[in-house]
Amino acid sequence: MTFPGAKTAVEWLVSVAPDPGACRWEWERNPLGVVLLPAGRLWDVLILPGDLGQAALDVLLLITDRPGPVLADFGDSRLGFFVPAGTASRWLGTGVRGAGRGTWIVVPYPGRATDGVRWAVLPDGEGTLTDPAVLELAMHEAAASVLAGEGRTS
């Protein structure tokens, strides 16, 4: 299934590859529908545990016109939020992993279903990223919701 903007999302994503043409070729022919792309060029990825990540995404969808791209792994046990390059090296947060310069991310082809990682929010192709400060606020709100759902107050 192809979504609107999938072509521009593909172009934007492969632009970070060392060889965009080879990356595109591999992506389109890979039976798994995924490629490895380097983080730290146009974007970093902040990886949150599933419950917190989904709750933070729900908050982001309420407070922003459009968050940046978000990846979800198999079973939604982790969500990865695309943020500006350099964010991962400055991020201080318990339970949040950062993928920045020197790391690679498994990325599915936009608009195609895969058995593993999938897009929770598809890239728009224009380079929209999640503002780290807004993500942090969403995480605080989400953490309060998750704790309340577990019957805890702190």
Side-chain angles (χ1 to χ4, degrees):
M1 175 181 213
T2 302
F3 296 100
K7 181 67 172 172
T8 57
V10 168
E11 298 304 319
W12 179 72
L13 287 164
V14 300
S15 72
V16 303
D19 183 343
C23 176
R24 191 178 303 104
W25 185 90
E26 173 65 25
W27 211 353
E28 292 171 356
R29 286 156 186 81
N30 182 322
L32 299 176
V34 297
V35 294
L36 286 172
L37 292 176
R41 292 185 179 176
L42 294 179
W43 38 261
D44 286 355
V45 180
L46 294 179
I47 303 163
L48 282 63
D51 289 346
L52 178 61
Q54 187 58 58
L57 178 57
D58 292 345
V59 172
L60 281 174
L61 291 170
L62 290 173
I63 64 174
T64 63
D65 291 333
R66 176 172 168 63
V70 179
L71 288 173
D73 71 356
F74 182 74
D76 294 344
S77 63
R78 287 182 290 286
L79 272 73
F81 294 80
F82 282 53
V83 294
T87 301
S89 65
R90 297 184 308 270
W91 191 267
L92 300 173
T94 303
V96 176
R97 293 186 306 178
R101 186 165 297 283
T103 62
W104 294 75
I105 299 294
V106 174
V107 180
Y109 192 94
R112 283 194 200 146
T114 66
D115 289 336
V117 66
R118 68 175 179 80
W119 290 106
V121 176
L122 191 68
D124 63 8
E126 297 177 17
T128 301
L129 299 169
T130 298
D131 180 324
V134 175
L135 177 58
E136 183 176 13
L137 291 172
M139 288 171 55
H140 286 289
E141 182 67 27
S145 296
V146 169
L147 287 175
E150 294 174 356
R152 296 176 7 205
T153 58
S154 61

